[in-house]
């Protein structure tokens, strides 16, 4: 598998108050990367918290929040501190360059250098980011199914949780369990059991309707489908579609399952997280709610959502 083809195009955030300069930078990079733009530092902060940004190219003298202040904000937040920042200046000084590097900027570039130099330096830094993403993809991917693994689920849920707090929107979550999977393994063997897991994982991945939806193997024969910006009604619709997608696979079930084909049970939950200084509600609560509903679906006869 070519991992570079698996990963999406990298995203570059440009922060520049001068519209002419901003348009020039966007034209320089938009053929190579997904380009997001911010005309001031405050707009940049909002974009950084709402989108997956791979690299930030910011003017030192950005309005509202300067490039240096933006760098400090990004590097002091555990959710964004991994994002490299390049600072641009029209009048570089040794003192300013030293200050920018000390607060965490990965590079400091004078805008008076030829455009191809700016492009090459940004590209070199982005290549390092992309190499790191490949390594993270390997370490965060379940080797059998190709879905994300539990570690990546925990990281993604935490990020989406904090984004939902800022935006005041709901998060839906499905926990999916393959019915009678132990019986399937006992009758057909573990090689066929692995094939069953891969087919169900593919059905789960194909149920995603948006790029931000997130599928992971939770462990064993359990999977999770995380649905940002989704209330309980929306999560139930996705669960119904998933049940149908698995049924369409028509994987022969074990004789002891008393069913013709392999099915899944789905626990559905949704929550609108709010800022809680006492931290009495955390992302794990969403998983726990879905898990309780999965147990109810199993008790009610399987091949259903609850």
């Amino acid at each position: 598998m070519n991992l570079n083809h698996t990963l999406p195009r990298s995203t570059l955030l440009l922060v520049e108050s001068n519209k002419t300069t901003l348009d020039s930078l966007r034209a320089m990079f938009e053929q190579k990367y997904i380009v997001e733009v911010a005309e001031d530092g405050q707009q940049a902060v909002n974009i950084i918290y709402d989108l997956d940004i791979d690299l930030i190219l910011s003017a030192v003298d950005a309005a509202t929040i300067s490039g240096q202040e933006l760098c400090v904000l990004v590097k002091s937040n555990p959710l964004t501190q991994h994002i490299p920042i390049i600072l641009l200046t029209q009048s570089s000084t040794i003192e300013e360059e030293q200050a920018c590097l000390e607060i965490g900027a990965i590079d400091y570039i004078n805008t008076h250098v030829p455009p191809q130099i700016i492009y090459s330096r940004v590209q070199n830094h982005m290549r390092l980011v992309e190499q790191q993403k490949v390594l993270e993809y390997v370490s965060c991917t379940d080797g059998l199914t190709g879905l994300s693994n539990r570690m990546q689920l925990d990281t993604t849920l935490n990020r989406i949780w904090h984004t939902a707090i800022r935006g005041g929107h709901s998060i839906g979550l499905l926990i999916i369990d393959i019915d009678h999977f132990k019986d399937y393994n006992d009758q057909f063997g573990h090689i066929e059991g692995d094939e069953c897991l891969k087919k169900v994982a593919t059905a789960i991945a194909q149920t995603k309707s948006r790029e931000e939806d997130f599928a992971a193997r939770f462990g064993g024969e359990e999977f999770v489908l995380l649905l940002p910006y989704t209330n309980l009604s929306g999560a139930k619709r996705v669960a119904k579609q998933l049940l149908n997608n698995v049924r369409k696979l028509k994987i022969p079930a074990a004789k002891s399952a008393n069913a013709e084909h392999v099915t899944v049970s789905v626990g559905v939950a949704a929550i609108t997280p709010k800022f809680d200084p006492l931290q009495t509600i955390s992302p794990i609560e969403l998983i726990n709610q879905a898990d309780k509903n999965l147990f109810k679906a199993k008790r009610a006869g399987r091949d259903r959502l609850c």
Side-chain angles (χ1 to χ4, degrees):
M1 177 175 62
N2 189 330
L3 293 176
N4 290 322
H5 290 170
T6 302
L7 299 173
R9 277 205 303 165
S10 298
T11 301
L12 173 67
L13 172 61
L14 304 175
V15 188
E16 171 59 68
S17 302
N18 184 297
K19 191 176 186 307
T20 301
T21 304
L22 184 62
D23 290 342
S24 176
L25 289 170
R26 176 162 44 190
M28 186 187 304
F29 293 109
E30 63 185 357
Q31 295 300 316
K32 181 76 172 179
Y33 309 113
I34 297 171
V35 175
E36 300 289 341
V37 298
E39 296 183 1
D40 61 61
Q42 183 59 59
Q43 186 181 3
V45 170
N46 295 335
I47 292 173
I48 291 164
Y49 285 151
D50 290 337
L51 301 176
D52 287 327
I53 302 299
D54 294 303
L55 180 68
I56 301 168
L57 181 62
S58 174
V60 169
D61 60 352
T64 312
I65 296 176
S66 71
Q68 289 175 310
E69 292 169 330
L70 177 64
C71 187
V72 171
L73 286 171
V74 169
K75 293 302 175 182
S76 62
N77 188 324
L79 296 177
T80 60
Q81 62 186 7
H82 66 283
I83 305 174
I85 302 179
I86 300 173
L87 293 176
L88 289 173
T89 182
Q90 293 184 358
S91 54
S92 60
T93 66
I94 294 177
E95 292 77 15
E96 184 179 73
E97 180 174 8
Q98 180 66 27
C100 289
L101 296 175
E102 285 181 352
I103 61 176
I106 198 171
D107 206 348
Y108 175 87
I109 305 175
N110 190 313
T111 56
H112 295 299
V113 302
Q116 60 266 32
I117 297 297
I118 297 176
Y119 181 87
S120 294
R121 290 172 75 168
V122 169
Q123 181 176 244
N124 286 343
H125 288 300
M126 190 67 92
R127 282 175 180 159
L128 294 175
V129 171
E130 290 167 345
Q131 290 172 3
Q132 182 63 32
K133 285 170 69 177
V134 170
L135 293 174
E136 290 175 356
Y137 177 85
V138 172
S139 66
C140 295
T141 302
D142 177 63
L144 177 65
T145 65
L147 299 182
S148 296
N149 61 19
R150 176 63 187 272
M151 179 177 68
Q152 184 65 5
L153 169 64
D154 292 341
T155 300
T156 302
L157 177 55
N158 188 59
R159 174 177 57 80
I160 290 174
W161 183 270
H162 288 284
T163 299
I165 290 175
R166 290 192 304 274
H169 58 75
S170 182
I171 307 170
L173 185 139
L174 315 182
I175 293 186
I176 305 111
D177 184 87
I178 301 177
D179 296 326
H180 301 290
F181 187 69
K182 181 180 183 303
D183 295 338
Y184 187 94
N185 266 337
D186 290 344
Q187 179 173 331
F188 298 107
H190 289 283
I191 293 178
E192 285 300 315
D194 287 349
E195 289 301 313
C196 178
L197 286 169
K198 288 191 282 188
K199 289 177 182 177
V200 171
T202 299
I204 293 170
Q206 291 174 344
T207 303
K208 298 192 302 177
S209 61
R210 305 167 304 171
E211 185 176 346
E212 59 263 34
D213 294 344
F214 179 85
R217 187 178 180 188
F218 196 53
E221 67 271 23
E222 285 192 340
F223 301 87
V224 164
L225 188 52
L226 182 59
L227 306 168
Y229 310 100
T230 305
N231 59 21
L232 187 59
S233 177
K236 286 171 66 177
R237 284 196 298 271
V238 174
K240 289 178 181 177
Q241 182 62 53
L242 174 58
L243 287 167
N244 287 328
N245 288 348
V246 173
R247 291 169 187 146
K248 290 176 183 177
L249 295 173
K250 295 186 176 180
I251 303 170
K255 292 179 181 178
S256 57
N258 295 319
E260 185 177 0
H261 298 119
V262 168
T263 58
V264 296
S265 298
V266 186
V268 185
I271 193 170
T272 302
K274 301 183 185 301
F275 175 71
D276 181 7
L278 300 179
Q279 294 185 334
T280 55
I281 300 178
S282 66
I284 196 66
E285 178 62 25
L286 181 59
I287 292 178
N288 288 340
Q289 287 184 17
D291 195 47
K292 290 176 182 176
N293 289 332
L294 172 63
F295 181 72
K296 291 178 182 178
K298 290 285 191 182
R299 289 284 298 271
R302 297 181 171 85
D303 188 25
R304 69 193 65 214
L305 68 89
C306 187

